[in-house]
């Protein structure tokens, strides 16, 4: 009988990615704050559906931890500013997946997050 593989421990990755978002919680609405799921939403409702617009979220999945980052959708300059290494972590248009802590990429993601908040402020969403 083959040895059972243990699930990877993504808690350190989740904690570091969440740490990027926590400073913005005072300007945003915390939508979720549970182990493995942290989400920040806009303070104002979306103009078309009336629900808060997600700013960013960190979620632990089966194979990686995802950093969902919505400002990148509406700000082509943000997307263009990403390093090739961070772009390789992208899944889709606004999701970055990580299996381990990467100090350099997390620092870059923190900077991009800060710049994205500026765009949310200009739109009156934060």
């Amino acid at each position: 009988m083959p040895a059972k593989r243990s699930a990877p421990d993504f808690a350190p990755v989740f904690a570091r990615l969440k740490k990027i978002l926590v400073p913005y919680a005072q300007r945003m609405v915390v939508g979720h704050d549970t182990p493995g799921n942290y989400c920040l939403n806009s303070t104002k409702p979306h103009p078309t559906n009336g629900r808060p617009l997600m700013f960013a979220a960190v979620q632990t999945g089966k194979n990686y931890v995802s950093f969902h980052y919505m400002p990148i959708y509406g700000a082509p300059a943000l997307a263009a500013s990403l390093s090739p290494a961070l772009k390789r972590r992208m899944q889709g248009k606004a999701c970055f997946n990580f299996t381990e802590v990467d100090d350099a990429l997390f620092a870059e993601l923190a900077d991009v997050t800060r710049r994205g908040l500026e765009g949310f402020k200009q739109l009156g969403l934060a």
Side-chain angles (χ1 to χ4, degrees):
M1 179 180 229
K4 198 173 187 183
R5 294 174 76 186
S6 61
D9 180 14
F10 292 136
V13 180
F14 177 84
R16 287 288 300 277
L17 290 170
K18 178 181 175 182
K19 188 176 178 181
I20 293 171
L21 297 180
V22 167
Y24 305 111
Q26 292 180 353
R27 292 197 63 94
M28 309 297 279
V29 175
V30 177
H32 299 284
D33 189 3
T34 60
N37 189 6
Y38 186 76
C39 178
L40 293 180
N41 294 321
S42 63
T43 56
K44 305 241 173 26
H46 190 278
T48 58
N49 65 19
R51 293 187 308 226
L53 181 65
M54 183 172 61
F55 173 70
V58 181
Q59 295 178 316
T60 301
K62 183 177 176 182
N63 297 314
Y64 42 77
V65 178
S66 296
F67 188 92
H68 302 277
Y69 181 61
M70 295 303 112
I72 208 148
Y73 270 118
L78 279 177
S81 74
L82 300 177
S83 70
L86 189 55
K87 283 182 182 177
R88 281 192 295 274
R89 300 295 183 138
M90 285 186 86
Q91 178 72 33
K93 294 181 182 179
C95 181
F96 301 87
N97 294 327
F98 297 92
T99 57
E100 59 189 24
V101 172
D102 186 316
D103 291 327
L105 291 182
F106 288 8
E108 180 181 356
L109 198 54
D111 180 61
V112 170
T113 301
R114 179 191 53 76
R115 290 187 285 136
L117 181 66
E118 292 305 315
F120 255 50
K121 285 183 198 175
Q122 290 174 1
L123 295 171
L125 296 169

